[in-house]
Amino acid sequence: MTHVSERSAGSNGAEGGDRQPWTAGAGRGPRKRSATYAAAGVSIDAGDRAVELLKAKVKKTTRPEVMGDLGGFSGLFRLNTAKYKSPILASSTDGVGTKLVIAQQLDIHDTIGIDLVAMVVDDLVACGAEPLFLLDYIACGEVVPDKIAEIGAGIADGCRYAGCALLGGETAEHPGVLRPDEYDVSATGVGVVEESEILGQDRVEVGDAVIAMRSSGLHSNGYSLVRHVLLGAGRMRLDTVVDDFGTSRTLGEELLTPTKIYAKDCLGLIEETDVRAFSHITGGGIPGNLNRVLPPTMDAVVDRSTWRPQPIFDLIQAKGRIEDSEMEATFNMGVGMFAVVSSDDADRAMAYLAGRGVEAWQVGEVLEGTGQVQMMGSYTRG
């Protein structure tokens, strides 16, 4: 994050959809009437303190290509074009959706940044691109330096795990639009890939093996349905201990489990094996994402019996009486990334991933078809 600014000073939402006039300093207690930015609800000093608290963390994400330091009007990155014959830049923008609501309710803010980075860099690596740098954006009702520093620390941690630089960003204070305790986050990442090595459906062949990589849980999709089913209709509390989750593990802890970052694992797999394509399983689930890397003349067979989804998926489905098709269209069901590899390299791919601590297994193969994902069998239970 390079600096803090106000991007809007609009109106508070009210019940029934009506908008009420915003008053300076709303939510912060009485203030003297004065024509200052602070009186309007924006603290430049608090923003500066938040940036100072983050500098050490951000510095740990640097790469040799990074030029300058935090505080400039833009982040500078020297692209080493000598490494490539025809470098192609890849970009991705994302957020973490309503998983933020859980973090805010629990007042735990140091993991949501990992989710944010994962959603961006794992999209980048899906085409074979190495994530180079990331820019973040945090919008909040009130800049509380320690809280912003916690959010930013998670983003910095995620960048280190992915091997990319946190090049800069923005923290914007939105008094009157967001409550003092509310915030939202987004990020944009940039990566690079040799043009001749771009992964995707053009490389996929009949007979290729489909390899699954275990997710860490829900990741960052489907939380509006999760909150409705578990916290709304299900009337569960975030501090409820759920036996199936493990010793003394609460629902809140499970829901805030950070999204797995696969970027380095995938880049290493490209070096070690003949990878045809990756599919990052986000919104739309397995059928809605794996089909994006299939040619129109081929199908992918996925055998559900080869794995057991984590208990959180069983809990959500049981509490909400959710149909199987709705679950699979909304959640990752225990798989965060698929790799489509040459059949000759399937065993090698799984051995390589196991060596990196990634649980991986073959779920199926690519057959002649019409660009569809054929979900076969039933998930392992118990």
Side-chain angles (χ1 to χ4, degrees):
M1 291 172 288
T2 53
H3 65 288
V4 179
S5 67
E6 177 196 33
R7 284 294 185 235
S8 61
S11 303
N12 280 318
E15 291 187 18
D18 295 329
R19 306 287 286 184
Q20 300 298 321
W22 171 70
T23 56
R28 299 194 185 196
R31 293 176 183 260
K32 293 182 180 180
R33 299 174 66 88
S34 59
T36 66
Y37 213 8
V42 179
S43 173
I44 298 298
D45 290 341
D48 291 342
R49 288 197 300 274
V51 172
E52 285 299 316
L53 289 172
L54 271 173
K55 278 188 175 180
K57 273 277 190 179
V58 174
K59 200 166 186 177
K60 292 180 180 179
T61 73
T62 193
R63 293 172 50 120
E65 304 96 329
V66 174
M67 302 173 65
D69 202 352
L70 288 179
F73 287 99
S74 59
L76 301 178
F77 190 96
R78 182 188 288 110
L79 181 62
N80 182 6
T81 56
K83 288 176 58 177
Y84 308 91
K85 294 179 180 178
S86 180
I88 301 297
L89 294 179
S91 62
S92 177
T93 296
D94 214 332
V96 298
T98 60
K99 189 172 186 176
L100 285 168
V101 176
I102 307 298
Q104 291 163 15
Q105 289 176 339
L106 291 174
D107 196 26
I108 297 174
H109 313 286
D110 59 351
T111 61
I112 208 73
I114 299 174
D115 294 294
L116 178 62
V117 175
M119 297 301 288
V120 173
V121 299
D122 287 342
D123 274 357
L124 288 176
V125 80
C127 72
E130 175 191 1
L132 297 175
F133 60 83
L134 183 135
L135 301 165
D136 65 34
Y137 178 80
I138 303 172
C140 58
E142 177 182 355
V143 171
V144 178
D146 287 343
K147 181 188 291 187
I148 298 300
E150 287 182 34
I151 299 168
I155 297 172
D157 285 341
C159 286
R160 285 194 298 106
Y161 303 154
C164 67
L166 181 52
L167 198 57
E170 173 81 356
T171 300
E173 202 164 19
H174 291 190
V177 175
L178 297 171
R179 294 195 310 268
D181 61 331
E182 286 184 321
Y183 61 86
D184 198 3
V185 297
S186 64
T188 296
V190 173
V192 63
V193 59
E194 184 71 66
E195 184 173 11
S196 62
E197 297 175 6
I198 295 174
L199 304 179
Q201 61 179 233
D202 292 343
R203 291 176 173 262
V204 176
E205 298 179 3
V206 170
D208 284 346
V210 181
I211 306 295
M213 301 181 215
R214 173 74 70 175
S215 71
S216 57
L218 290 171
H219 284 186
S220 299
N221 295 102
Y223 273 76
S224 293
L225 179 56
V226 170
R227 292 186 300 109
H228 171 71
V229 167
L230 300 185
L231 306 181
R235 298 185 179 180
M236 294 185 69
R237 292 168 52 95
L238 291 173
D239 59 1
T240 300
V241 175
V242 180
D243 291 339
D244 287 345
F245 294 164
T247 305
S248 301
R249 186 167 175 82
T250 67
L251 176 62
E253 289 171 327
E254 179 67 28
L255 296 182
L256 276 192
T257 301
T259 303
K260 169 71 175 171
I261 294 177
Y262 300 95
K264 287 185 176 181
D265 306 314
C266 290
L267 292 173
L269 193 63
I270 292 170
E271 295 295 321
E272 294 291 326
T273 66
D274 185 6
V275 177
R276 317 288 201 184
F278 288 117
S279 177
H280 184 201
I281 307 305
T282 55
I286 294 172
N289 286 284
L290 185 54
N291 67 353
R292 295 164 67 179
V293 300
L294 295 174
T297 58
M298 300 178 201
D299 286 358
V301 174
V302 173
D303 184 355
R304 300 182 184 95
S305 69
T306 59
W307 82 96
R308 179 188 178 188
Q310 291 91 334
I312 183 63
F313 298 105
D314 292 334
L315 177 65
I316 293 166
Q317 185 165 20
K319 285 285 187 180
R321 299 190 293 275
I322 301 171
E323 297 289 337
D324 291 345
S325 59
E326 182 69 15
M327 290 292 295
E328 290 187 335
T330 306
F331 303 109
N332 67 58
M333 300 305 293
V335 178
M337 182 75 76
F338 282 102
V340 180
V341 305
S342 164
S343 59
D344 293 338
D345 277 354
D347 290 340
R348 187 176 180 184
M350 289 183 289
Y352 173 79
L353 291 168
R356 291 190 58 86
V358 179
E359 184 180 350
W361 63 98
Q362 184 169 347
V363 297
E365 61 181 332
V366 176
L367 305 175
E368 292 183 358
T370 58
Q372 304 300 311
V373 177
Q374 300 179 26
M375 302 293 292
M376 310 291 288
S378 301
Y379 295 114
T380 302
R381 305 288 184 184

